[in-house]
Amino acid sequence: QVHFVESGGGLVQPGGSLRLSCGASGSILRSYNVAWYRQAPGKQRELVAVISSGGRLNYAGSVKGRFTISRDNAKNTVYLQMNSLKPEDTAVYYCNSETQGLFNWGQGTQVTVSS
C-alpha cells in the first residue's frame, strides 16, 4: 500500500528554490509526525525536517533558515519549501513518518542543484 507520494523535484541552479509535495492520508497527518528525508549517492539517509500532527516544526541544522516544512490538512499534503539551494542539497527526497519502520518508503523525488 502506498502511504506517501513525493513530487516536485527537479533541476535548479545554486541559490534557486524548489517546492516539494508529499501526499499522505488524513489519518497519517493526524496521528504521526511527518518528516522529509534525503539521501545523496554514497551517503546514508538523513532527516531534514519534521512537522508534528500539532504543527510543531523541527529542522536539521544544515537546512534551518533555508527550508520550511508545512502542512495543508484539506489537501492531505505536506510541503517542503526549499530556498537558497546549495549543491550539497542534491539528493533524493522522501517523506515518511519521523518514526521509521512504520510505513513503506516511496520512490522519492530527485532534487539536483547544479549550475
Side-chain angles (χ1 to χ4, degrees):
Q1 184 176 139
V2 177
H3 295 102
F4 300 93
V5 180
E6 303 93 343
S7 63
L11 173 64
V12 296
Q13 297 187 79
S17 297
L18 207 58
R19 183 180 176 87
L20 307 183
S21 297
C22 171
S25 72
S27 61
I28 288 177
L29 269 58
R30 184 180 64 182
S31 302
Y32 297 91
N33 299 339
V34 178
W36 283 98
Y37 300 82
R38 67 186 181 187
Q39 186 169 30
K43 301 174 67 177
Q44 66 182 31
R45 186 166 13 229
E46 65 173 333
L47 185 67
V48 175
V50 180
I51 184 167
S52 75
S53 59
R56 291 176 296 184
L57 313 177
N58 197 23
Y59 300 93
S62 59
V63 307
K64 191 174 182 64
R66 300 187 299 120
F67 291 10
T68 303
I69 188 170
S70 62
R71 179 188 64 221
D72 187 333
N73 289 333
K75 296 182 177 180
N76 289 341
T77 302
V78 173
Y79 301 97
L80 185 67
Q81 178 66 47
M82 305 184 294
N83 299 324
S84 302
L85 283 162
K86 305 174 180 179
E88 49 263 45
D89 296 318
T90 296
V92 178
Y93 284 70
Y94 304 87
C95 57
N96 209 307
S97 170
E98 183 184 20
T99 301
Q100 299 183 50
L102 301 178
F103 305 100
N104 295 329
W105 292 98
Q107 298 182 57
T109 185
Q110 176 71 49
V111 172
T112 302
V113 185
S114 176
S115 58

